[in-house]
């Protein structure tokens, strides 16, 4: 999800507003007087007419997407079975405070993430060490971390990927002590309980389902300790035969979550590049809280629209 539509909307809003505003301030009166004197019907020039017509539309869309709700499409299976590839979701943009569009700078604090929230965020890059041993963030994407040179643990010329939007579940809050061993999570000394529901059932013609079926995935209900003593019950997929995952703590991820950061994980536990691999999620990178699946597309050859998922609240 690396298409920054908010930046485009902001740019168009500024462009249309400047064209329309400057015309009204500098050119409109003289042009109208000239046409009135000639007895001609007044019409704005085409660029001005387009700017005048489109500015309020683009401005309203920008406000809604930036401060109310923004749509996203799920591109990968890292959040299965909660969110599937092809799900179109809505994200609450004011759950964690209001942020400037495109820049993502918070100017009004309205709350912070709670354990168990499904959050959309700007991918902060991978956390690694340079030749001097200093921790720094470097680029990468959902295909894996950046390639490191021989004897080097951090490429000097790599840059963070700030434009990509990722989605994961909040597992650790600032100040929490977290331990992760494969699918077992321990939060502040207490193991997170879970119940096995049975084997994963899916369509083998879909690549995402085929992988889970091939590795004998099972579905579990995980009971995360949430806010105010409440428990967040949600589904996770486990397929330990696929690969071993990074444990927490590790060389780059401490057991105690730093202030201003969150540990996040995907619900498809063996198929998610998350905090176990690239470190904590800085608070400044948060974009909002996912809350609704409003459409779900399965593809031309694998069922078209998944009607039963439409309208599903995200937990």
């Amino acid at each position: 999800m690396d298409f920054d539509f908010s930046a485009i909307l902001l740019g168009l809003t500024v462009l249309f507003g400047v064209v329309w505003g400057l015309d009204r301030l500098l050119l409109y009166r003289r042009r109208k007087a000239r046409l009135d004197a000639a007895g001609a019907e007044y019409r704005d020039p085409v660029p001005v007419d387009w700017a005048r017509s489109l500015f309020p539309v683009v401005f309203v869309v920008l406000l809604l997407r930036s401060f109310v709700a923004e749509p996203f499409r799920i591109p990968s299976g890292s959040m299965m079975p909660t969110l599937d590839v092809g799900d179109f979701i809505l994200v609450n943009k004011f759950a964690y405070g209001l942020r400037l569009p495109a820049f993502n700078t918070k100017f009004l604090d309205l709350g912070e993430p709670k354990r168990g929230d499904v959050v959309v965020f700007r991918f902060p890059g991978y956390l690694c060490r340079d030749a001097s041993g200093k921790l720094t963030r470097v680029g990468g994407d959902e295909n894996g971390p950046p390639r490191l040179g021989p004897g080097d643990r951090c490429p000097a010329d790599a840059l963070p990927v700030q434009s990509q939007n990722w989605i994961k579940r909040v597992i650790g809050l600032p100040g929490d002590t977290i331990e992760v061993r494969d699918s077992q999570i321990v939060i502040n000394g207490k193991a997170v309980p879970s119940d096995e529901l049975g084997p994963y059932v899916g369509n083998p013609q879909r690549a995402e389902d085929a992988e889970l079926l091939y590795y004998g995935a099972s579905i579990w209900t995980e009971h995360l300790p949430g806010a105010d003593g409440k428990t967040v019950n949600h589904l996770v997929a486990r397929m330990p035969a696929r690969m071993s995952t990074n444990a927490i703590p590790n060389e780059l991820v401490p057991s105690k979550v730093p202030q201003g950061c969150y540990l996040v994980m995907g619900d498809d536990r063996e198929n998610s590049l998350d905090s176990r691999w690239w470190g904590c999620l800085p608070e400044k990178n948060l974009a909002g809280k996912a809350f609704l699946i409003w459409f779900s597309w399965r593809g031309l050859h694998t069922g078209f629209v998944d009607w039963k998922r439409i309208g599903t609240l995200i937990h």
Side-chain angles (χ1 to χ4, degrees):
M1 293 190 285
D2 55 1
F3 181 63
D4 197 346
F5 192 56
S6 294
I8 295 175
L9 281 176
L10 179 61
L12 289 175
T13 301
V14 172
L15 174 64
F16 294 150
V18 168
V19 170
W20 185 25
L22 289 179
D23 178 78
R24 284 300 185 265
L25 286 173
L26 304 176
L27 305 175
Y28 168 74
R29 292 181 181 177
R30 285 185 291 174
R31 182 172 62 247
K32 188 174 186 306
R34 185 172 66 252
L35 292 174
D36 287 346
E41 180 183 359
Y42 176 80
R43 289 184 180 179
D44 281 326
V46 173
V48 176
D49 185 52
W50 276 82
R52 176 179 56 82
S53 301
L54 293 176
F55 172 77
V57 177
V58 176
F59 182 61
V60 169
V61 173
L62 177 66
L63 290 180
L64 291 176
R65 287 177 59 99
S66 301
F67 305 129
V68 181
E70 184 172 5
F72 289 95
R73 179 184 180 276
I74 303 300
S76 74
S78 70
M79 282 297 293
M80 292 175 70
T82 303
L83 297 172
D84 207 343
V85 176
D87 283 346
F88 290 77
I89 66 171
L90 286 178
V91 173
N92 182 337
K93 297 304 294 287
F94 57 85
Y96 309 133
L98 298 182
R99 298 174 183 269
L100 294 175
F103 299 99
N104 209 45
T105 303
K106 182 186 288 189
F107 64 89
L108 181 61
D109 190 359
L110 297 175
E112 301 295 339
K114 298 178 177 61
R115 194 181 297 112
D117 284 1
V118 177
V119 297
V120 169
F121 56 93
R122 294 189 177 191
F123 175 53
Y126 286 83
L127 192 66
C128 60
R129 295 186 185 276
D130 60 20
S132 68
K134 180 182 178 182
L135 282 175
T136 185
R137 290 193 178 273
V138 300
D141 55 32
E142 290 196 343
N143 294 320
R147 294 182 179 274
L148 305 181
D152 192 5
R153 293 185 294 170
C154 184
D157 58 349
L159 295 175
V161 181
Q162 296 290 358
S163 62
Q164 288 184 334
N165 290 301
W166 285 27
I167 184 167
K168 305 293 179 187
R169 187 180 298 276
V170 175
I171 301 297
L173 303 176
D176 281 347
T177 299
I178 304 291
E179 296 179 24
V180 178
R181 296 288 185 275
D182 294 322
S183 293
Q184 182 60 64
I185 302 173
V186 178
I187 301 177
N188 297 325
K190 296 183 179 180
V192 175
S194 57
D195 303 311
E196 185 173 6
L197 300 180
Y200 179 79
V201 178
N203 183 349
Q205 293 183 335
R206 297 181 67 237
E208 299 78 23
D209 288 350
E211 181 178 38
L212 288 161
L213 293 170
Y214 178 81
Y215 287 106
S218 56
I219 301 300
W220 297 65
T221 299
E222 189 172 78
H223 310 286
L224 274 175
D228 303 323
K230 297 180 180 179
T231 300
V232 179
N233 302 310
H234 66 98
L235 299 179
V236 297
R238 297 180 180 177
M239 44 179 173
R242 181 180 184 271
M243 65 177 294
S244 60
T245 59
N246 269 7
I248 295 178
N250 59 51
E251 181 188 12
L252 304 174
V253 185
S255 59
K256 187 170 184 179
V257 184
Q259 292 301 312
C261 270
Y262 300 86
L263 289 186
V264 295
M265 294 173 61
D267 288 347
D268 190 350
R269 290 294 160 78
E270 279 72 40
N271 186 28
S272 174
L273 285 170
D274 47 42
S275 285
R276 293 171 290 180
W277 307 93
W278 44 259
C280 72
L281 164 65
E283 189 277 337
K284 65 181 181 180
N285 288 62
L286 287 167
K289 178 183 178 182
F291 70 94
L292 178 72
I293 300 172
W294 64 271
F295 189 70
S296 187
W297 174 251
R298 284 294 169 268
L300 295 176
H301 306 292
T302 52
F304 297 96
V305 178
D306 191 343
W307 297 101
K308 67 179 183 296
R309 294 182 67 82
I310 297 176
T312 301
L313 296 177
I314 299 171
H315 300 290

